[in-house]
């Protein structure tokens, strides 16, 4: 999969590709998914700064655009943050609204199942081969799968379904070390393994855990 960067000569086409992927994903879902996707697309097309990756708009403005109350805005934006599709880039202060950003890679990962509905040309153009990790680094050894239970078992299943090769290389060897009300701590087989996951794959790992339990805000990786 190629991460979309909506800048340069092909910026317009890349924007349409992202919106097309979101549209296909929404249409393949139920009415709740369709409405959520439509609302996000409305924000993107009206207020998103593609070059700076910034979405700056207050809840009152969103409510007016969506024709809903501000309570609905809070609920829907929370869903999008849980999905990992939007992230807080800068918290609001002194009367200023928060600056949000789009996680384009996460959006593409989540919509990939519906790409064939658009057509094989779209799959070939946008899909390609998985791009993460964008490095030639490989683990020193391929760990044997480790049994897991509870939250980590559910998150592992999500990660394995999302990208089996990446899971096998980097996530399969992680063991649950501690789980508190807001943090999951995982133990890696080597210090190198822990550092690599922490540096390159933590956001993908955190999103999978968050989708399984919205109360877990942090994921820590520790090593020997």
């Amino acid at each position: 999969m190629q991460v979309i960067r909506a800048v340069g000569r092909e910026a317009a086409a890349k924007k349409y590709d992202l919106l097309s992927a979101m549209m296909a994903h929404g249409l393949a879902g139920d009415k709740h998914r369709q409405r959520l996707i439509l609302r996000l697309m409305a924000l993107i097309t009206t207020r998103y700064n593609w070059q700076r990756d910034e979405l700056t708009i207050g809840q009152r403005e969103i409510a007016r655009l969506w024709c809903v109350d501000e309570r609905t805005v809070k609920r829907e934006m929370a869903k999008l943050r849980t999905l990992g599709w939007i992230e807080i880039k800068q918290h609001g202060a002194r009367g200023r609204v928060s600056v949000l950003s789009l996680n384009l890679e996460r959006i593409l990962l989540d919509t990939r199942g519906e790409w064939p509905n658009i057509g094989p040309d779209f799959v070939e153009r946008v899909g390609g081969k998985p791009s993460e990790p964008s490095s030639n680094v490989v683990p020193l050894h391929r760990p044997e799968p480790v049994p897991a239970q509870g939250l980590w078992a559910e998150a592992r299943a999500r990660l394995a379904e999302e990208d089996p090769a990446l899971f096998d290389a980097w996530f399969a060897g992680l063991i649950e070390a501690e789980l508190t009300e807001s943090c999951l701590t995982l133990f890696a087989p080597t210090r190198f393994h822990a550092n690599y996951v922490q540096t390159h794959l933590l956001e993908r790992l955190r999103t999978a855990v968050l989708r399984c339990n919205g109360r877990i805000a942090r994921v820590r990786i520790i090593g020997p």
Side-chain angles (χ1 to χ4, degrees):
M1 185 188 70
Q2 301 177 6
V3 179
I4 289 180
R5 305 295 182 192
V7 295
R9 297 176 58 185
E10 300 181 354
K14 293 177 181 178
K15 295 175 185 178
Y16 277 116
D17 283 343
L18 178 69
L19 293 173
S20 296
M22 294 173 62
M23 174 190 64
H25 182 66
L27 291 173
D30 59 20
K31 63 180 181 180
H32 303 290
R33 185 203 289 182
Q34 292 174 7
R35 185 167 53 198
L36 183 64
I37 298 299
L38 177 60
R39 286 171 172 170
L40 178 57
M41 291 177 69
L43 291 180
I44 292 174
T45 55
T46 59
R47 289 292 184 265
Y48 181 58
N49 186 319
W50 291 93
Q51 291 187 331
R52 300 178 61 180
D53 182 25
E54 290 183 354
L55 177 62
T56 307
I57 182 171
Q59 291 184 356
R60 184 174 301 176
E61 294 176 272
I62 297 176
R64 183 171 61 247
L65 176 64
W66 289 356
C67 299
V68 298
D69 56 33
E70 293 187 37
R71 192 176 348 180
T72 300
V73 171
K74 292 180 181 179
R75 184 174 61 249
E76 295 290 83
M77 295 300 282
K79 290 179 182 177
L80 292 169
R81 288 195 300 272
T82 299
L83 286 173
W85 284 30
I86 63 172
E87 300 170 345
I88 297 178
K89 190 173 183 179
Q90 180 179 338
H91 287 276
R94 296 183 181 179
R96 297 184 178 181
V97 300
S98 297
V99 179
L100 306 175
S101 65
L102 294 181
N103 188 332
L104 302 183
E105 181 190 13
R106 170 51 53 183
I107 292 174
L108 290 176
L109 281 169
D110 288 345
T111 60
R112 185 166 52 184
E114 288 74 41
W115 292 357
N117 297 348
I118 302 175
D121 58 324
F122 183 89
V123 175
E124 182 178 357
R125 181 173 67 255
V126 179
K129 299 178 180 179
S131 62
E132 185 159 352
S134 56
S135 167
N136 292 325
V137 177
V138 295
L140 295 178
H141 62 88
R142 187 179 301 274
E144 293 295 328
V146 179
Q149 297 179 345
L151 172 63
W152 178 226
E154 187 177 349
R156 279 168 54 97
R158 286 180 177 270
L159 292 165
E161 181 180 3
E162 187 175 276
D163 192 327
L166 190 68
F167 171 82
D168 188 40
W170 296 103
F171 297 132
L174 299 178
I175 304 172
E176 180 178 328
E178 183 182 20
L179 177 62
T180 66
E181 291 185 357
S182 61
C183 180
L184 172 65
T185 301
L186 300 173
F187 183 83
T190 67
R191 183 174 299 180
F192 166 78
H193 196 126
N195 290 339
Y196 190 85
V197 173
Q198 182 78 32
T199 302
H200 299 284
L201 302 173
L202 187 62
E203 185 57 34
R204 181 176 289 199
L205 186 58
R206 190 190 69 82
T207 299
V209 172
L210 187 64
R211 291 185 177 185
C212 298
N213 186 333
R215 294 174 299 177
I216 306 300
R218 292 182 56 218
V219 177
R220 292 195 312 138
I221 310 297
I222 60 176

